Structure formats: C-alpha cells, structure tokens
Amino acid sequence: MKTYKMVLCYDGSRYNGWQKQGNTDNTLQEKLEKILTEIAGVETEIAGSGRTDAGTHAKGQVASFRMDWKRTAAELLTEINGRLPEDVGALSLEEAEPRFHARLNAKAKRYVYTIWTGEMPPVFWRKYSFWCKDELDVEAMKEAASAFVGTHDFKSFCANKRMKKSTVRTIYDINIEQKEQRLVLSFTGNGFLYQMVRILTGTLIEVGEGKRSPMEMEEILAAENREAAGFTAPSRGLMLDEVFYEPYGKGTEMP
Amino acid sequence: MKTYKMVLCYDGSRYNGWQKQGNTDNTLQEKLEKILTEIAGVETEIAGSGRTDAGTHAKGQVASFRMDWKRTAAELLTEINGRLPEDVGALSLEEAEPRFHARLNAKAKRYVYTIWTGEMPPVFWRKYSFWCKDELDVEAMKEAASAFVGTHDFKSFCANKRMKKSTVRTIYDINIEQKEQRLVLSFTGNGFLYQMVRILTGTLIEVGEGKRSPMEMEEILAAENREAAGFTAPSRGLMLDEVFYEPYGKGTEMP
C-alpha cells in the first residue's frame, strides 16, 4: 500500500463542493473516490486539505489517498486524468510518506477572492468573480485588512455558529491587488474557519463601499459574534490557490 | 430614427453562432433582435460586422441597428444590458452616421486563436482554447505564418466550396506569442473567409507538429483548393477580438 499526494484543480461551478455528504450528490470527493475505486478495484477513500464550498474553485487543492499500485506515479496520474471530467484536472501526483494526510499535515493555505470592478458585465469571469458595481476605496480596504493579519479569534468570521473547537487562526498575509478589471484579494493563513474567507471579503467590500470604517475591524474581532461582521461574499469568486506543507516562511515555495 | 454602433462581447459556448438562420435556434443575432424589438416596440434588425461560428467567442464584435430612441445612448446601453443573459455583454453604444453599417463599413478585423500547450488539462480554459498535446515548433509556425501576410487568394483556406465571390483577402499581420501555458495567434486582416482563421490555425498547428514544412505554405495558397490546407481548428479556441473602421494603419486604435 502506497500513500499518494495529489494536486488538483477544478472549476467548482457545477459541484456541490468538495466534501461528500449524506444527503447531497455530485461532490468532488465522491467523484474522485469513484474514480480511484475503479482504478484500484477496491473501495478507496481520499482526504482533501479542506472543504471548498459549492461553486468555489481550486487551482491547487491537495488530496491524499492510499493505493496498492504497481506502476509509476506518472502512470497513475495519466490513468486518473483519463477518467476525470473536463472541469477537473490532476496537476501532479507523487508518492508521499506513509503517514501523509492532506488535511492533518497542511501548514498553511492561500485563498484568492476575485472581485470584478469593471463597469461592464464580467462575461468571461462571470463564474469566477463577484461583480461589485460600486466604486471601492482600495486603500481603506488595505487598511482594514491589516487588522486581520496575525493571530486572532476569528469567531465573528465563522459561519458555523455551533463551532466547538478553537476559532483562533493566524493570517500571515492579506494582499490586495488590482489586475485590469479585477480586484484580487489573497489570504494566506494557517487555516480558515467555515466561510471565513468569504466573510472577510464581504466585510472588506463593505469597507470599500464606505459602509464601514477600517477602524471597526478590531471591534468586529472583539465581538466574537458572526452578526458583527459583514456579508458572506458569493462562493463563485473564491479559489483555493495553494496548500503549503512546510511551516510558513520556511519552505522555498512560500509566497 | 437614429443609427447606433454597439460593441459586444460574448461567450459563444451555448450559441449556434452569430447569424440568424432559417432552421437553427439560439443565435446571438436572434437574441439581440428580440431584445431590441422589445425595447423599441417595433421589429428591429441588427447587423453584425460578420458571423462568428457556433462556439466561437467575441471580445469586440460590432453591430449596428436603427431605432427611434428619445433618451441618451448611455440609457439605451443600460436598457440593453439589463435584458442580456450573463454570457453576453454590451460594452459600448454610440450614435453613428445615419448610413453606418457594421459589416459594410468594417475596414479590418482581428481574430485571436488560443492553443493550450500545457501538459495538464486546461480546466479553466476548456471552453476558450484548443488543447494541443504535442510539442509545437513555434519558430516554424512563425515562419509559415509569414507566407500568409499580404494579399493572397485564400481559396484553399475557405470552407465554403461554392464561394462565388472573390476569395482574395489581405492579412496585415499574424502575431504568435506564448503566454504562460497558451500559444496565442492573432490574425489582423481586411476580411476573412468562412472558417479561414480556423483553417489557417489548423495548418499552422500541423507545421508546429512537424507534419508540414513552412515551405509548403506557398504551394497550399497556389493550389486554390481546400484539400491542400490543414484541418479546421475547433471553434472554441477562436475569439473575434476587434473590428476596425479606419483603414489599417491610419487610425489611432490600430494594432
């Protein structure tokens, strides 16, 4: 039995998110387990580095699985890509340490949120961005974002109100950059709570629109209450960009 | 009655091309005429600068129509965008000379063809590129492309075998550029025959794959026979990028 680490990209538009669930169909995890089970001939499970919501995309989701495979990892990669639908691609596959687990061993993740700021409709970006028609004060958004960098209790930014585990997370960096008609927000942190990136983005958009002041961010964090934060930006603008398995700042692949 | 010039972009994936046809549904022209007729309250026709094939996209299609509209062009633009589906957008609208006609007055057009050259599947580019898995000799493609620049009889590159009008066209420029995992071919000319850009691209891909020599291009042109040229590259990789209404090289918007 070998353990594999696989990097995946997918257009999440037509999926009910990553995670297999009792009552919903058409999840990415399900789709992949079906393919791996076909290849292996025995029931095979896959673990993602984390869930992505319905409609959310990935350029670098990482998943781990175990398989009794006699040929090379490159051949297994070809085998998997040959069975994947065209909106999912396996980018790389390698044999990992026997105990490697995509979620448990992840040290950091980067998510990218794309806001369409063009005046005209985002015809080619309609599934990959959230169209914000109001003009945004990007400098105010940057100032507000700086309040989130560091180690904080992000309970106000967690959509799961019954979360019993710790809601403390560390954000290493938030980068906000205008690229043509898109305002691109990159969040790098040691982990993110349920819908945390989307709520952070929604709150920053409200700052950009002048509905909130950058000064309020400290209060929102202190409130430890979801009601204190802004709206949840739509899932289609969100992309899981990269998952890191080295401590932040230690590896060569760090941002 | 005023005459308007409108610039449109669209994702052609789910349309049967631009041109209204007796027996097919769901064309862009039909869609737009329906919207303009609703707004005007009387049957309104629209003329595109040219057809785009089923599955082909546009970033700058130009269309003209006449309407008895009392408010500003900006208000009409908003009215139109409010009724368009999310895969079509009107980028600009202005009142034009009374006799302006998007096709008859067009002086030049630029089409862009995107070839995906990545090793891994083009998940986010699957509808906007043609995946070429073989390695391409880009220098040979550039050399071959230079044979097409200038005024030639492009009968060998015309999919309409019963074409009775002249098949002589002028190509001003063919630019081939690698952008990350995409090889982007831009064709600027005074006009293009039916599927001409797709057949030129298919022929250039065969050169890139080493199946044809750049030296053969002169012979293909001289043959004046569709059978002499290469395959027709798929419509999804093609984008109508821009339409020019000034003689090539004279305007400020020239490439």
Side-chain angles (χ1 to χ4, degrees):
Chain A
M1 214 63 156
K2 290 171 187 166
T3 301
Y4 290 98
K5 175 187 175 188
M6 178 161 65
V7 182
L8 293 160
C9 68
Y10 46 82
D11 180 330
S13 305
R14 68 181 186 95
Y15 295 96
N16 284 316
W18 171 268
Q19 177 135 328
K20 192 167 63 171
Q21 285 163 42
N23 52 352
T24 56
D25 261 348
N26 202 31
T27 63
L28 286 145
Q29 188 183 11
E30 228 176 355
K31 188 100 210 162
L32 285 155
E33 289 187 348
K34 190 161 168 265
I35 289 172
L36 295 176
T37 297
E38 267 174 32
I39 295 173
V42 294
E43 194 86 5
T44 304
E45 292 189 344
I46 192 165
S49 72
R51 313 174 183 191
T52 50
D53 298 334
T56 288
H57 318 286
K59 273 196 177 162
Q61 168 71 293
V62 177
S64 55
F65 61 91
R66 305 187 72 209
M67 194 185 277
D68 190 16
W69 176 257
K70 308 293 183 208
R71 289 181 282 150
T72 66
E75 284 168 297
L76 182 51
L77 179 64
T78 303
E79 199 66 48
I80 293 168
N81 271 322
R83 292 163 193 252
L84 284 172
E86 59 172 15
D87 52 7
V88 184
L91 299 174
S92 70
L93 179 73
E94 58 184 62
E95 205 182 327
E97 300 276 304
R99 300 189 52 174
F100 175 77
H101 186 284
R103 180 169 54 81
L104 301 176
N105 294 141
K107 295 282 192 297
K109 280 180 198 164
R110 182 167 54 224
Y111 278 95
V112 171
Y113 198 97
T114 302
I115 302 168
W116 182 260
T117 58
E119 262 187 70
M120 292 299 134
V123 164
F124 296 102
W125 280 86
R126 65 192 189 278
K127 291 178 178 169
Y128 313 113
S129 68
F130 168 59
W131 188 14
C132 198
K133 297 182 193 184
D134 298 312
E135 204 173 320
L136 296 174
D137 180 343
V138 176
E139 287 314 307
M141 291 171 75
K142 286 182 182 174
E143 192 189 333
S146 69
F148 301 131
V149 176
T151 302
H152 302 282
D153 188 332
F154 286 99
K155 196 171 183 353
S156 297
F157 297 91
C158 178
N160 179 1
K161 287 179 188 166
R162 295 189 199 128
M163 177 76 169
K164 284 180 186 146
K165 294 182 201 159
S166 167
T167 45
V168 174
R169 295 289 183 278
T170 301
I171 294 186
Y172 302 119
D173 183 58
I174 303 177
N175 183 59
I176 301 181
E177 201 181 339
Q178 188 79 40
K179 293 181 180 175
E180 296 169 1
Q181 297 178 83
R182 291 163 277 137
L183 186 67
V184 180
L185 284 59
S186 305
F187 301 83
T188 311
N190 68 349
F192 295 91
L193 302 165
Y194 183 51
Q195 298 190 341
M196 176 170 154
V197 179
R198 294 169 54 193
I199 303 170
L200 285 168
T201 300
T203 307
L204 291 174
I205 289 172
E206 292 177 6
V207 170
E209 292 172 332
K211 292 178 187 161
R212 288 173 186 267
S213 136
M215 309 298 289
E216 274 177 65
M217 302 302 111
E218 301 283 359
E219 291 163 39
I220 298 174
L221 284 167
E224 298 183 14
N225 177 358
R226 170 69 190 89
E227 308 300 321
F231 80 110
T232 306
S235 61
R236 66 180 178 281
L238 187 61
M239 173 85 76
L240 172 54
D241 193 51
E242 200 167 346
V243 185
F244 303 100
Y245 290 90
E246 296 290 328
Y248 182 75
K250 298 278 170 56
T252 51
E253 279 194 313
M254 286 293 117
Chain B
M1 216 58 161
K2 290 171 188 166
T3 301
Y4 290 97
K5 176 187 175 189
M6 178 161 65
V7 181
L8 294 161
C9 68
Y10 46 81
D11 180 330
S13 305
R14 68 181 186 96
Y15 295 96
N16 284 316
W18 171 268
Q19 176 135 332
K20 193 167 61 169
Q21 285 161 45
N23 51 354
T24 56
D25 262 348
N26 202 32
T27 63
L28 286 145
Q29 188 183 12
E30 229 177 354
K31 188 102 209 160
L32 285 154
E33 289 186 347
K34 192 162 166 262
I35 288 172
L36 295 177
T37 298
E38 267 174 32
I39 295 173
V42 294
E43 195 85 6
T44 304
E45 292 190 343
I46 192 166
S49 73
R51 313 174 185 190
T52 51
D53 298 333
T56 288
H57 319 286
K59 274 196 175 160
Q61 169 70 295
V62 177
S64 55
F65 61 91
R66 305 187 73 211
M67 194 184 277
D68 189 15
W69 176 256
K70 308 292 183 209
R71 289 181 281 151
T72 66
E75 285 168 296
L76 181 52
L77 179 65
T78 303
E79 199 66 49
I80 293 169
N81 271 322
R83 292 162 192 252
L84 285 171
E86 59 172 16
D87 52 6
V88 184
L91 299 175
S92 70
L93 180 73
E94 58 185 63
E95 204 181 328
E97 300 277 303
R99 299 190 53 176
F100 176 76
H101 187 284
R103 180 169 55 81
L104 300 176
N105 295 140
K107 293 284 192 298
K109 279 180 197 165
R110 182 168 51 223
Y111 278 95
V112 171
Y113 198 97
T114 302
I115 301 168
W116 182 260
T117 58
E119 262 186 70
M120 292 298 133
V123 164
F124 296 102
W125 281 85
R126 66 192 188 278
K127 289 178 178 169
Y128 313 112
S129 68
F130 167 58
W131 188 14
C132 199
K133 297 183 193 185
D134 298 312
E135 204 173 321
L136 296 173
D137 179 343
V138 176
E139 287 314 307
M141 291 171 75
K142 287 181 180 174
E143 191 189 333
S146 69
F148 301 130
V149 177
T151 303
H152 302 280
D153 188 330
F154 286 98
K155 195 172 184 356
S156 297
F157 297 90
C158 179
N160 178 2
K161 287 180 187 165
R162 296 189 197 128
M163 178 76 169
K164 283 179 185 145
K165 295 182 199 159
S166 168
T167 46
V168 174
R169 296 289 183 277
T170 301
I171 293 186
Y172 303 120
D173 182 58
I174 302 177
N175 183 59
I176 301 181
E177 201 181 338
Q178 188 78 39
K179 294 182 180 174
E180 296 170 1
Q181 300 178 81
R182 291 164 278 138
L183 186 66
V184 181
L185 285 61
S186 305
F187 301 82
T188 311
N190 68 348
F192 294 92
L193 303 164
Y194 183 49
Q195 298 189 342
M196 176 169 153
V197 179
R198 294 168 55 191
I199 303 171
L200 285 169
T201 300
T203 306
L204 291 174
I205 290 173
E206 292 177 6
V207 170
E209 291 172 334
K211 292 178 186 160
R212 288 174 186 266
S213 137
M215 307 298 289
E216 273 177 67
M217 303 302 110
E218 301 282 0
E219 289 163 41
I220 298 174
L221 284 166
E224 297 183 14
N225 178 357
R226 170 69 190 90
E227 308 300 321
F231 80 109
T232 307
S235 62
R236 66 179 178 279
L238 188 61
M239 173 86 76
L240 171 53
D241 193 51
E242 201 166 345
V243 185
F244 303 99
Y245 290 89
E246 296 290 328
Y248 182 75
K250 299 277 170 57
T252 51
E253 280 193 313
M254 286 294 116

